[in-house]
PDB file of all heavy atoms in Angstrom:
ATOM      1  N   PRO J 299       4.870  39.973  37.030  1.00 96.00           N
ATOM      2  CA  PRO J 299       6.121  39.440  36.472  1.00 96.00           C
ATOM      3  C   PRO J 299       6.053  39.140  34.968  1.00 96.00           C
ATOM      4  O   PRO J 299       7.067  39.158  34.288  1.00 96.00           O
ATOM      5  CB  PRO J 299       6.369  38.171  37.268  1.00 96.00           C
ATOM      6  CG  PRO J 299       5.012  37.749  37.750  1.00 96.00           C
ATOM      7  CD  PRO J 299       4.244  39.027  37.947  1.00 96.00           C
ATOM      8  N   ASP J 300       4.846  38.855  34.474  1.00 95.00           N
ATOM      9  CA  ASP J 300       4.695  38.509  33.061  1.00 95.00           C
ATOM     10  C   ASP J 300       3.260  38.689  32.614  1.00 95.00           C
ATOM     11  O   ASP J 300       2.348  38.877  33.434  1.00 95.00           O
ATOM     12  CB  ASP J 300       5.196  37.089  32.791  1.00 95.00           C
ATOM     13  CG  ASP J 300       4.495  36.057  33.669  1.00 95.00           C
ATOM     14  OD1 ASP J 300       3.265  36.003  33.671  1.00 95.00           O
ATOM     15  OD2 ASP J 300       5.217  35.323  34.387  1.00 95.00           O
ATOM     16  N   ARG J 301       3.052  38.618  31.323  1.00 95.00           N
ATOM     17  CA  ARG J 301       1.731  38.814  30.733  1.00 95.00           C
ATOM     18  C   ARG J 301       0.722  37.748  31.174  1.00 95.00           C
ATOM     19  O   ARG J 301      -0.444  38.061  31.457  1.00 95.00           O
ATOM     20  CB  ARG J 301       1.863  38.816  29.207  1.00 95.00           C
ATOM     21  CG  ARG J 301       0.591  39.148  28.456  1.00 95.00           C
ATOM     22  CD  ARG J 301       0.825  39.156  26.954  1.00 95.00           C
ATOM     23  NE  ARG J 301       1.895  40.046  26.576  1.00 95.00           N
ATOM     24  CZ  ARG J 301       1.765  41.362  26.354  1.00 95.00           C
ATOM     25  NH1 ARG J 301       0.589  41.913  26.467  1.00 95.00           N
ATOM     26  NH2 ARG J 301       2.789  42.083  26.008  1.00 95.00           N
ATOM     27  N   GLU J 302       1.170  36.508  31.261  1.00 94.00           N
ATOM     28  CA  GLU J 302       0.235  35.434  31.641  1.00 94.00           C
ATOM     29  C   GLU J 302      -0.282  35.614  33.063  1.00 94.00           C
ATOM     30  O   GLU J 302      -1.475  35.440  33.315  1.00 94.00           O
ATOM     31  CB  GLU J 302       0.908  34.058  31.509  1.00 94.00           C
ATOM     32  CG  GLU J 302      -0.019  32.903  31.824  1.00 94.00           C
ATOM     33  CD  GLU J 302      -1.273  32.835  30.970  1.00 94.00           C
ATOM     34  OE1 GLU J 302      -1.237  33.199  29.770  1.00 94.00           O
ATOM     35  OE2 GLU J 302      -2.321  32.430  31.504  1.00 94.00           O
ATOM     36  N   THR J 303       0.568  35.990  33.985  1.00 95.00           N
ATOM     37  CA  THR J 303       0.146  36.231  35.370  1.00 95.00           C
ATOM     38  C   THR J 303      -0.849  37.391  35.425  1.00 95.00           C
ATOM     39  O   THR J 303      -1.846  37.324  36.131  1.00 95.00           O
ATOM     40  CB  THR J 303       1.371  36.526  36.268  1.00 95.00           C
ATOM     41  OG1 THR J 303       2.292  35.447  36.170  1.00 95.00           O
ATOM     42  CG2 THR J 303       0.966  36.709  37.717  1.00 95.00           C
ATOM     43  N   LEU J 304      -0.561  38.438  34.681  1.00 96.00           N
ATOM     44  CA  LEU J 304      -1.474  39.588  34.624  1.00 96.00           C
ATOM     45  C   LEU J 304      -2.836  39.178  34.062  1.00 96.00           C
ATOM     46  O   LEU J 304      -3.872  39.483  34.645  1.00 96.00           O
ATOM     47  CB  LEU J 304      -0.891  40.714  33.775  1.00 96.00           C
ATOM     48  CG  LEU J 304      -1.833  41.877  33.480  1.00 96.00           C
ATOM     49  CD1 LEU J 304      -2.329  42.562  34.751  1.00 96.00           C
ATOM     50  CD2 LEU J 304      -1.166  42.863  32.538  1.00 96.00           C
ATOM     51  N   HIS J 305      -2.843  38.472  32.949  1.00 94.00           N
ATOM     52  CA  HIS J 305      -4.110  38.115  32.328  1.00 94.00           C
ATOM     53  C   HIS J 305      -4.901  37.124  33.169  1.00 94.00           C
ATOM     54  O   HIS J 305      -6.137  37.176  33.210  1.00 94.00           O
ATOM     55  CB  HIS J 305      -3.883  37.625  30.891  1.00 94.00           C
ATOM     56  CG  HIS J 305      -3.631  38.768  29.966  1.00 94.00           C
ATOM     57  ND1 HIS J 305      -4.626  39.378  29.244  1.00 94.00           N
ATOM     58  CD2 HIS J 305      -2.502  39.469  29.690  1.00 94.00           C
ATOM     59  CE1 HIS J 305      -4.120  40.395  28.533  1.00 94.00           C
ATOM     60  NE2 HIS J 305      -2.835  40.452  28.787  1.00 94.00           N
ATOM     61  N   THR J 306      -4.226  36.229  33.892  1.00 95.00           N
ATOM     62  CA  THR J 306      -4.917  35.348  34.830  1.00 95.00           C
ATOM     63  C   THR J 306      -5.587  36.164  35.925  1.00 95.00           C
ATOM     64  O   THR J 306      -6.759  35.950  36.278  1.00 95.00           O
ATOM     65  CB  THR J 306      -3.947  34.326  35.435  1.00 95.00           C
ATOM     66  OG1 THR J 306      -3.416  33.515  34.382  1.00 95.00           O
ATOM     67  CG2 THR J 306      -4.620  33.443  36.477  1.00 95.00           C
ATOM     68  N   TYR J 307      -4.858  37.139  36.458  1.00 96.00           N
ATOM     69  CA  TYR J 307      -5.414  38.015  37.490  1.00 96.00           C
ATOM     70  C   TYR J 307      -6.616  38.787  36.943  1.00 96.00           C
ATOM     71  O   TYR J 307      -7.657  38.875  37.617  1.00 96.00           O
ATOM     72  CB  TYR J 307      -4.326  38.981  37.987  1.00 96.00           C
ATOM     73  CG  TYR J 307      -4.865  40.091  38.825  1.00 96.00           C
ATOM     74  CD1 TYR J 307      -5.213  39.875  40.165  1.00 96.00           C
ATOM     75  CD2 TYR J 307      -5.028  41.377  38.299  1.00 96.00           C
ATOM     76  CE1 TYR J 307      -5.716  40.919  40.953  1.00 96.00           C
ATOM     77  CE2 TYR J 307      -5.527  42.411  39.084  1.00 96.00           C
ATOM     78  CZ  TYR J 307      -5.875  42.171  40.402  1.00 96.00           C
ATOM     79  OH  TYR J 307      -6.362  43.190  41.180  1.00 96.00           O
ATOM     80  N   LEU J 308      -6.498  39.353  35.743  1.00 96.00           N
ATOM     81  CA  LEU J 308      -7.598  40.120  35.174  1.00 96.00           C
ATOM     82  C   LEU J 308      -8.842  39.246  34.934  1.00 96.00           C
ATOM     83  O   LEU J 308      -9.958  39.662  35.203  1.00 96.00           O
ATOM     84  CB  LEU J 308      -7.166  40.791  33.875  1.00 96.00           C
ATOM     85  CG  LEU J 308      -6.163  41.922  34.018  1.00 96.00           C
ATOM     86  CD1 LEU J 308      -5.703  42.393  32.645  1.00 96.00           C
ATOM     87  CD2 LEU J 308      -6.717  43.074  34.840  1.00 96.00           C
ATOM     88  N   ARG J 309      -8.638  38.026  34.450  1.00 95.00           N
ATOM     89  CA  ARG J 309      -9.778  37.109  34.252  1.00 95.00           C
ATOM     90  C   ARG J 309     -10.426  36.764  35.582  1.00 95.00           C
ATOM     91  O   ARG J 309     -11.656  36.742  35.711  1.00 95.00           O
ATOM     92  CB  ARG J 309      -9.322  35.822  33.549  1.00 95.00           C
ATOM     93  CG  ARG J 309      -9.111  35.977  32.053  1.00 95.00           C
ATOM     94  CD  ARG J 309      -8.921  34.629  31.367  1.00 95.00           C
ATOM     95  NE  ARG J 309      -7.777  33.883  31.888  1.00 95.00           N
ATOM     96  CZ  ARG J 309      -6.516  33.989  31.457  1.00 95.00           C
ATOM     97  NH1 ARG J 309      -6.236  34.800  30.457  1.00 95.00           N
ATOM     98  NH2 ARG J 309      -5.571  33.265  31.989  1.00 95.00           N
ATOM     99  N   ASP J 310      -9.577  36.520  36.617  1.00 96.00           N
ATOM    100  CA  ASP J 310     -10.116  36.202  37.923  1.00 96.00           C
ATOM    101  C   ASP J 310     -10.865  37.396  38.520  1.00 96.00           C
ATOM    102  O   ASP J 310     -11.906  37.230  39.174  1.00 96.00           O
ATOM    103  CB  ASP J 310      -8.995  35.755  38.870  1.00 96.00           C
ATOM    104  CG  ASP J 310      -8.416  34.405  38.505  1.00 96.00           C
ATOM    105  OD1 ASP J 310      -9.021  33.674  37.689  1.00 96.00           O
ATOM    106  OD2 ASP J 310      -7.335  34.076  39.048  1.00 96.00           O
ATOM    107  N   MET J 311     -10.333  38.597  38.342  1.00 95.00           N
ATOM    108  CA  MET J 311     -11.010  39.788  38.851  1.00 95.00           C
ATOM    109  C   MET J 311     -12.333  40.008  38.121  1.00 95.00           C
ATOM    110  O   MET J 311     -13.355  40.362  38.714  1.00 95.00           O
ATOM    111  CB  MET J 311     -10.101  41.022  38.702  1.00 95.00           C
ATOM    112  CG  MET J 311     -10.716  42.300  39.275  1.00 95.00           C
ATOM    113  SD  MET J 311     -11.128  42.208  41.024  1.00 95.00           S
ATOM    114  CE  MET J 311      -9.518  42.467  41.737  1.00 95.00           C
ATOM    115  N   TYR J 312     -12.341  39.794  36.813  1.00 96.00           N
ATOM    116  CA  TYR J 312     -13.560  39.905  36.030  1.00 96.00           C
ATOM    117  C   TYR J 312     -14.620  38.925  36.581  1.00 96.00           C
ATOM    118  O   TYR J 312     -15.770  39.309  36.773  1.00 96.00           O
ATOM    119  CB  TYR J 312     -13.263  39.607  34.555  1.00 96.00           C
ATOM    120  CG  TYR J 312     -14.441  39.749  33.639  1.00 96.00           C
ATOM    121  CD1 TYR J 312     -14.720  40.948  33.011  1.00 96.00           C
ATOM    122  CD2 TYR J 312     -15.289  38.680  33.382  1.00 96.00           C
ATOM    123  CE1 TYR J 312     -15.811  41.081  32.174  1.00 96.00           C
ATOM    124  CE2 TYR J 312     -16.375  38.794  32.549  1.00 96.00           C
ATOM    125  CZ  TYR J 312     -16.639  39.998  31.940  1.00 96.00           C
ATOM    126  OH  TYR J 312     -17.715  40.128  31.107  1.00 96.00           O
ATOM    127  N   ASP J 313     -14.187  37.687  36.831  1.00 96.00           N
ATOM    128  CA  ASP J 313     -15.115  36.699  37.379  1.00 96.00           C
ATOM    129  C   ASP J 313     -15.626  37.110  38.756  1.00 96.00           C
ATOM    130  O   ASP J 313     -16.780  36.897  39.078  1.00 96.00           O
ATOM    131  CB  ASP J 313     -14.451  35.331  37.452  1.00 96.00           C
ATOM    132  CG  ASP J 313     -14.314  34.686  36.089  1.00 96.00           C
ATOM    133  OD1 ASP J 313     -15.021  35.096  35.143  1.00 96.00           O
ATOM    134  OD2 ASP J 313     -13.490  33.756  35.969  1.00 96.00           O
ATOM    135  N   TYR J 314     -14.761  37.715  39.550  1.00 95.00           N
ATOM    136  CA  TYR J 314     -15.192  38.178  40.862  1.00 95.00           C
ATOM    137  C   TYR J 314     -16.211  39.302  40.751  1.00 95.00           C
ATOM    138  O   TYR J 314     -17.237  39.296  41.450  1.00 95.00           O
ATOM    139  CB  TYR J 314     -13.966  38.639  41.666  1.00 95.00           C
ATOM    140  CG  TYR J 314     -14.307  39.283  42.987  1.00 95.00           C
ATOM    141  CD1 TYR J 314     -14.765  38.506  44.061  1.00 95.00           C
ATOM    142  CD2 TYR J 314     -14.209  40.650  43.157  1.00 95.00           C
ATOM    143  CE1 TYR J 314     -15.090  39.096  45.259  1.00 95.00           C
ATOM    144  CE2 TYR J 314     -14.524  41.240  44.365  1.00 95.00           C
ATOM    145  CZ  TYR J 314     -14.973  40.459  45.412  1.00 95.00           C
ATOM    146  OH  TYR J 314     -15.293  41.059  46.619  1.00 95.00           O
ATOM    147  N   LEU J 315     -15.964  40.243  39.864  1.00 93.00           N
ATOM    148  CA  LEU J 315     -16.842  41.390  39.749  1.00 93.00           C
ATOM    149  C   LEU J 315     -18.149  41.086  39.018  1.00 93.00           C
ATOM    150  O   LEU J 315     -19.199  41.647  39.370  1.00 93.00           O
ATOM    151  CB  LEU J 315     -16.115  42.534  39.012  1.00 93.00           C
ATOM    152  CG  LEU J 315     -14.949  43.159  39.741  1.00 93.00           C
ATOM    153  CD1 LEU J 315     -14.221  44.137  38.834  1.00 93.00           C
ATOM    154  CD2 LEU J 315     -15.424  43.860  41.015  1.00 93.00           C
ATOM    155  N   PHE J 316     -18.083  40.218  38.020  1.00 93.00           N
ATOM    156  CA  PHE J 316     -19.251  40.059  37.149  1.00 93.00           C
ATOM    157  C   PHE J 316     -19.849  38.669  37.084  1.00 93.00           C
ATOM    158  O   PHE J 316     -20.920  38.482  36.549  1.00 93.00           O
ATOM    159  CB  PHE J 316     -18.880  40.511  35.717  1.00 93.00           C
ATOM    160  CG  PHE J 316     -18.367  41.917  35.668  1.00 93.00           C
ATOM    161  CD1 PHE J 316     -17.035  42.169  35.385  1.00 93.00           C
ATOM    162  CD2 PHE J 316     -19.193  42.983  35.945  1.00 93.00           C
ATOM    163  CE1 PHE J 316     -16.529  43.454  35.356  1.00 93.00           C
ATOM    164  CE2 PHE J 316     -18.701  44.298  35.923  1.00 93.00           C
ATOM    165  CZ  PHE J 316     -17.373  44.522  35.625  1.00 93.00           C
ATOM    166  N   ASN J 317     -19.127  37.670  37.617  1.00 93.00           N
ATOM    167  CA  ASN J 317     -19.615  36.298  37.510  1.00 93.00           C
ATOM    168  C   ASN J 317     -19.729  35.586  38.850  1.00 93.00           C
ATOM    169  O   ASN J 317     -19.683  34.368  38.931  1.00 93.00           O
ATOM    170  CB  ASN J 317     -18.710  35.477  36.589  1.00 93.00           C
ATOM    171  CG  ASN J 317     -18.778  35.951  35.157  1.00 93.00           C
ATOM    172  OD1 ASN J 317     -19.833  36.396  34.699  1.00 93.00           O
ATOM    173  ND2 ASN J 317     -17.679  35.863  34.448  1.00 93.00           N
ATOM    174  N   ASP J 318     -19.812  36.358  39.934  1.00 88.00           N
ATOM    175  CA  ASP J 318     -20.051  35.808  41.257  1.00 88.00           C
ATOM    176  C   ASP J 318     -18.968  34.857  41.785  1.00 88.00           C
ATOM    177  O   ASP J 318     -19.269  33.936  42.532  1.00 88.00           O
ATOM    178  CB  ASP J 318     -21.423  35.117  41.328  1.00 88.00           C
ATOM    179  CG  ASP J 318     -22.577  36.061  41.073  1.00 88.00           C
ATOM    180  OD1 ASP J 318     -22.472  37.248  41.481  1.00 88.00           O
ATOM    181  OD2 ASP J 318     -23.567  35.646  40.449  1.00 88.00           O
ATOM    182  N   ALA J 319     -17.724  35.057  41.377  1.00 91.00           N
ATOM    183  CA  ALA J 319     -16.632  34.283  41.972  1.00 91.00           C
ATOM    184  C   ALA J 319     -16.607  34.607  43.473  1.00 91.00           C
ATOM    185  O   ALA J 319     -16.870  35.738  43.874  1.00 91.00           O
ATOM    186  CB  ALA J 319     -15.300  34.604  41.316  1.00 91.00           C
ATOM    187  N   SER J 320     -16.257  33.634  44.271  1.00 91.00           N
ATOM    188  CA  SER J 320     -16.391  33.788  45.719  1.00 91.00           C
ATOM    189  C   SER J 320     -15.325  34.645  46.381  1.00 91.00           C
ATOM    190  O   SER J 320     -15.576  35.258  47.408  1.00 91.00           O
ATOM    191  CB  SER J 320     -16.416  32.425  46.387  1.00 91.00           C
ATOM    192  OG  SER J 320     -15.201  31.729  46.122  1.00 91.00           O
ATOM    193  N   GLU J 321     -14.112  34.696  45.816  1.00 93.00           N
ATOM    194  CA  GLU J 321     -13.038  35.447  46.439  1.00 93.00           C
ATOM    195  C   GLU J 321     -12.428  36.451  45.489  1.00 93.00           C
ATOM    196  O   GLU J 321     -12.205  36.155  44.323  1.00 93.00           O
ATOM    197  CB  GLU J 321     -11.942  34.504  46.907  1.00 93.00           C
ATOM    198  CG  GLU J 321     -12.330  33.638  48.091  1.00 93.00           C
ATOM    199  CD  GLU J 321     -11.165  32.834  48.609  1.00 93.00           C
ATOM    200  OE1 GLU J 321     -10.021  33.338  48.608  1.00 93.00           O
ATOM    201  OE2 GLU J 321     -11.392  31.701  49.012  1.00 93.00           O
ATOM    202  N   GLN J 322     -12.101  37.626  46.031  1.00 95.00           N
ATOM    203  CA  GLN J 322     -11.403  38.638  45.221  1.00 95.00           C
ATOM    204  C   GLN J 322      -9.957  38.198  45.044  1.00 95.00           C
ATOM    205  O   GLN J 322      -9.269  37.890  46.021  1.00 95.00           O
ATOM    206  CB  GLN J 322     -11.474  39.978  45.902  1.00 95.00           C
ATOM    207  CG  GLN J 322     -10.759  41.074  45.126  1.00 95.00           C
ATOM    208  CD  GLN J 322     -10.870  42.429  45.766  1.00 95.00           C
ATOM    209  OE1 GLN J 322     -11.642  42.615  46.705  1.00 95.00           O
ATOM    210  NE2 GLN J 322     -10.109  43.391  45.282  1.00 95.00           N
ATOM    211  N   PRO J 323      -9.474  38.171  43.813  1.00 96.00           N
ATOM    212  CA  PRO J 323      -8.070  37.802  43.600  1.00 96.00           C
ATOM    213  C   PRO J 323      -7.150  38.900  44.071  1.00 96.00           C
ATOM    214  O   PRO J 323      -7.511  40.083  44.090  1.00 96.00           O
ATOM    215  CB  PRO J 323      -7.992  37.596  42.088  1.00 96.00           C
ATOM    216  CG  PRO J 323      -9.045  38.482  41.548  1.00 96.00           C
ATOM    217  CD  PRO J 323     -10.155  38.488  42.568  1.00 96.00           C
ATOM    218  N   MET J 324      -5.952  38.522  44.444  1.00 95.00           N
ATOM    219  CA  MET J 324      -4.936  39.470  44.865  1.00 95.00           C
ATOM    220  C   MET J 324      -3.771  39.431  43.887  1.00 95.00           C
ATOM    221  O   MET J 324      -3.388  38.359  43.423  1.00 95.00           O
ATOM    222  CB  MET J 324      -4.452  39.129  46.269  1.00 95.00           C
ATOM    223  CG  MET J 324      -5.529  39.208  47.337  1.00 95.00           C
ATOM    224  SD  MET J 324      -6.346  40.811  47.466  1.00 95.00           S
ATOM    225  CE  MET J 324      -5.051  41.788  48.135  1.00 95.00           C
ATOM    226  N   PRO J 325      -3.231  40.577  43.559  1.00 93.00           N
ATOM    227  CA  PRO J 325      -2.063  40.605  42.669  1.00 93.00           C
ATOM    228  C   PRO J 325      -0.853  40.022  43.399  1.00 93.00           C
ATOM    229  O   PRO J 325      -0.858  39.898  44.630  1.00 93.00           O
ATOM    230  CB  PRO J 325      -1.849  42.082  42.370  1.00 93.00           C
ATOM    231  CG  PRO J 325      -2.676  42.842  43.336  1.00 93.00           C
ATOM    232  CD  PRO J 325      -3.667  41.922  43.931  1.00 93.00           C
ATOM    233  N   PRO J 326       0.159  39.609  42.655  1.00 88.00           N
ATOM    234  CA  PRO J 326       1.355  39.019  43.276  1.00 88.00           C
ATOM    235  C   PRO J 326       1.950  39.960  44.321  1.00 88.00           C
ATOM    236  O   PRO J 326       1.979  41.169  44.167  1.00 88.00           O
ATOM    237  CB  PRO J 326       2.340  38.863  42.116  1.00 88.00           C
ATOM    238  CG  PRO J 326       1.505  38.910  40.892  1.00 88.00           C
ATOM    239  CD  PRO J 326       0.301  39.735  41.213  1.00 88.00           C
TER     240      PRO J 326
END
């Protein structure tokens, strides 16, 4: 819906892939 939602998702996905975040984020 907007740039902020996208960038939050991308940061969360980055953390999942590279920083051992526990859950894979899902897009809206």
Side-chain angles (χ1 to χ4, degrees):
D300 55 55
R301 185 179 306 274
E302 183 58 35
T303 304
L304 171 60
H305 282 267
T306 297
Y307 168 77
L308 291 174
R309 283 191 301 272
D310 290 347
M311 183 59 79
Y312 182 91
D313 286 341
Y314 173 73
L315 293 172
F316 304 111
N317 293 327
D318 298 324
S320 60
E321 290 186 36
Q322 180 177 349
M324 297 302 291

